[in-house]
Amino acid sequence: MKAGFKAGWMLTLVLAAGMASGQTRVSREDLVRYMEGELIPGMTVTVMRNGRLVEQYGLGYADLENKVRMHPDAVLEVGSVTKMYFAALILRLVEQGKLNLDAPIGQYLPDLPESHRPLTLRRLLNHTSGAFEYLGGIADFRRDYSDRELMEVFLKRPLDYAPGEAWSYSNGGYLLAGQVAAKVTGKGWRELLQAEVIDRLGLKETWIQQVPRLIPRRTRGYALTARGQTNAEPIRPSTGNTAGSILATGRDVARWAEAWFEGRIARSDIQREAFVPAQLARGRTFNYGLGWFLDDLGPYKVAEHGGNTFGYSASLYTVPSERLTVVILTNAAGKNLSGLSARIAAGYLKGIPTPVAEIVKPDPNPARTDAIREAFLDLIRNGVKSTLIDPELQAFGRTQRGFQILSAYRTQIGRPLRMQFLSERKMEAGDTMVNYLVDTAENRLVVSFRVSADGKLVRIGAEPRGPRPRVRKQTDPA
């Protein structure tokens, strides 16, 4: 299941730029305008604080053809939000002494290929294992696979990179971890997830996907095409597997987050493992734990995850120190809802500064800027063969997801016409993050380049700033 890409890897539209300080809350009218702008048929929004439901909306349509309005407690697919449920199952098995997060999984699955035997559950769950993305083109979404068949498809491909060499989002890691859980317990992962997580926590409006099953208030999913809204083709439950097979109401997803706040997932020292950033080679980290993206909202720490399936998009956004949860579920494919979730959360928090766009400053190191520009152009020309990029970016570029993102850079950034310095800050492992206002042939973007101590590109992220300003010629109309 596709997740919303995080800054550092993908071109993202940062909706949080519209955030105001803590007194201004996102209204129902704001949400309706957002839906209209994003062409979203229907959406539920749930806000819970300190275990109490404080806001809940059902907006738009659950069924466009029959004009059925969206119920506040409608049931929708949550996509990759499933990952935190499955990570919780693994933590339960760790607490029971059946699994070790840092043990080679070859000791649990001795028949694995030699290349996969040294992988650990921690690396599988935090996307640093190098496991191949099986949902990216080799699995048939229309087919119902047995777990054994899906593993055979997955294991046909080698690891994309050495464990810990890079961070790359991969549903394959969760597929493999599911087989580890099944092996040590003698039970299927669905039975385990149902008993150890869903039933144990009393989540009455959460289901593991089964297409034939009748579920009250289940919505229809939609995909936007050149012809307009169309019925989305459902993903087969077996294909989503441990990475994206849950559907639920927004209220039940919020209850799920509350169970984390209350420490009901596992023993506290084990539960904390979910929020440890992924450790990479060369002393770097990545802001992903075990099933959770780790972020900041002003002075607050945030744990969140998004999810996408063929006809649905979801966001679970939590501020643990405030016991605040925002859940957005939609029946529209391909939406990144994290920015909207941040806007909603900001309305319940104090001390959130109003974002101010960075202004262009004198470049303190023009030679570095020239080197970054040349390295980026070499990356566009030569891909991962470029000698001007760091091994981490080379490893990431070898993945299917990395290839897609580098292709996006090639088409959406292309050859920068002008790079103007905005800011810089020191990072771990001797790296520096340098931000530029970049004009391309059509657009203006803020592009962040993470650069190693030896001047090589490590990570790249970009945010749109609108169309490139055009200098008016004398012949242009006033």
Side-chain angles (χ1 to χ4, degrees):
M1 306 291 82
K2 187 173 65 177
F5 291 109
K6 293 295 166 183
W9 291 123
M10 188 59 178
L11 297 171
T12 56
L13 175 61
V14 179
L15 297 170
M19 230 164 29
S21 61
Q23 286 72 30
T24 303
R25 292 187 179 175
V26 176
S27 67
R28 181 189 184 97
E29 291 72 27
D30 293 330
L31 295 171
V32 170
R33 281 193 293 271
Y34 177 87
M35 290 174 61
E36 291 172 347
E38 290 290 315
L39 301 178
I40 295 174
M43 182 164 74
T44 68
V45 178
T46 306
V47 181
M48 187 173 285
R49 190 166 197 184
N50 295 318
R52 185 173 64 88
L53 188 67
V54 295
E55 196 169 3
Q56 189 180 31
Y57 296 115
L59 304 168
Y61 289 96
D63 181 338
L64 285 173
E65 290 170 299
N66 297 297
K67 298 301 180 186
V68 178
R69 302 292 301 187
M70 183 70 77
H71 192 282
D73 280 318
V75 177
L76 299 96
E77 296 178 12
V78 304
S80 283
V81 175
T82 298
K83 288 180 173 64
M84 59 182 66
Y85 292 78
F86 181 72
L89 168 61
I90 294 297
L91 295 179
R92 288 283 299 160
L93 297 178
V94 170
E95 183 178 46
Q96 294 167 14
K98 296 174 181 176
L99 291 174
N100 183 322
L101 286 174
D102 298 307
I105 60 171
Q107 73 180 46
Y108 307 118
L109 298 174
D111 294 332
L112 280 177
E114 193 63 34
S115 57
H116 290 64
R117 290 171 58 81
L119 301 179
T120 67
L121 286 166
R122 187 186 301 277
R123 293 219 176 274
L124 293 174
L125 299 182
N126 68 18
H127 302 298
T128 63
S129 68
F132 178 71
E133 175 52 274
Y134 76 97
L135 288 181
I138 62 169
D140 182 354
F141 292 106
R142 299 171 182 82
R143 176 181 165 187
D144 259 326
Y145 293 85
S146 68
D147 287 349
R148 181 187 181 91
E149 289 173 328
L150 206 53
M151 279 293 291
E152 288 175 354
V153 170
F154 169 67
L155 292 175
K156 284 180 180 177
R157 295 291 295 264
L159 297 178
D160 284 330
Y161 53 81
E165 192 175 12
W167 185 92
S168 181
Y169 194 89
S170 172
N171 294 290
Y174 280 72
L175 171 68
L176 186 48
Q179 296 310 297
V180 173
K183 182 71 172 181
V184 300
T185 62
K187 301 177 181 178
W189 67 264
R190 296 169 185 81
E191 180 184 353
L192 288 168
L193 190 60
Q194 187 72 46
E196 293 287 344
V197 177
I198 296 173
D199 291 345
R200 189 177 69 86
L201 297 177
L203 303 176
K204 305 288 187 187
E205 296 176 327
T206 299
W207 293 268
I208 299 172
Q209 176 76 285
Q210 294 178 5
V211 172
R213 183 174 183 172
L214 295 179
I215 298 176
R217 301 192 306 277
R218 188 201 292 225
T219 66
R220 288 194 176 187
Y222 297 96
L224 188 63
T225 71
R227 297 171 298 171
Q229 297 287 0
T230 59
N231 286 307
E233 188 165 349
I235 189 172
R236 305 307 297 176
S238 63
T239 310
N241 212 271
T242 51
S245 294
I246 281 180
L247 45 85
T249 63
R251 189 196 300 252
D252 231 29
V253 176
R255 290 190 188 107
W256 155 250
E258 191 65 24
W260 284 88
F261 298 155
E262 295 172 349
R264 293 193 289 127
I265 302 301
R267 202 173 66 232
S268 60
D269 60 318
I270 295 174
Q271 186 170 310
R272 281 195 296 269
E273 296 287 351
F275 306 103
V276 176
Q279 300 294 312
L280 300 177
R282 293 171 284 279
R284 299 186 183 113
T285 62
F286 196 90
N287 61 336
Y288 195 95
L290 307 181
W292 294 87
F293 279 102
L294 310 174
D295 212 338
D296 297 303
L297 181 62
Y300 301 95
K301 296 296 183 184
V302 168
E304 60 158 325
H305 212 291
N308 297 98
T309 61
F310 287 155
Y312 300 87
S313 301
S315 170
L316 169 55
Y317 192 96
T318 73
V319 184
S321 65
E322 304 300 306
R323 282 184 64 180
L324 175 66
T325 299
V326 177
V327 182
I328 304 175
L329 306 179
T330 78
N331 58 350
K335 303 301 178 182
N336 185 339
L337 303 167
S338 178
L340 179 59
S341 295
R343 287 180 57 191
I344 295 171
Y348 290 87
L349 301 170
K350 295 179 180 179
I352 303 293
T354 301
V356 177
E358 289 189 285
I359 60 173
V360 172
K361 304 178 185 68
D363 193 336
N365 194 338
R368 177 182 62 187
T369 298
D370 290 342
I372 289 174
R373 176 187 171 89
E374 179 55 36
F376 177 73
L377 291 175
D378 195 54
L379 173 64
I380 295 301
R381 286 191 299 263
N382 299 311
V384 296
K385 295 180 181 178
S386 170
T387 60
L388 301 179
I389 64 175
D390 186 83
E392 179 181 322
L393 186 51
Q394 289 177 336
F396 175 73
R398 290 195 296 270
T399 70
Q400 184 184 66
R401 201 173 295 268
F403 175 80
Q404 293 170 343
I405 292 171
L406 292 182
S407 297
Y409 291 152
R410 187 175 291 110
T411 57
Q412 297 184 44
I413 300 178
R415 185 179 183 87
L417 300 179
R418 182 169 61 164
M419 292 174 56
Q420 300 178 82
F421 177 81
L422 294 174
S423 62
E424 65 179 291
R425 62 189 173 100
K426 293 296 182 184
M427 307 292 289
E428 63 201 355
D431 295 349
T432 304
M433 186 74 78
V434 192
N435 301 315
Y436 294 94
L437 188 65
V438 174
D439 288 333
T440 70
E442 299 292 336
N443 300 309
R444 170 165 280 187
L445 311 111
V446 173
V447 182
S448 301
F449 295 98
R450 181 164 175 164
V451 185
S452 66
D454 59 356
K456 295 186 176 182
L457 295 185
V458 180
R459 300 174 193 168
I460 307 169
E463 301 165 7
R465 273 282 180 89
R468 179 173 68 88
R470 190 164 63 97
V471 177
R472 189 159 56 91
K473 302 176 182 177
Q474 285 187 330
T475 53
D476 287 345

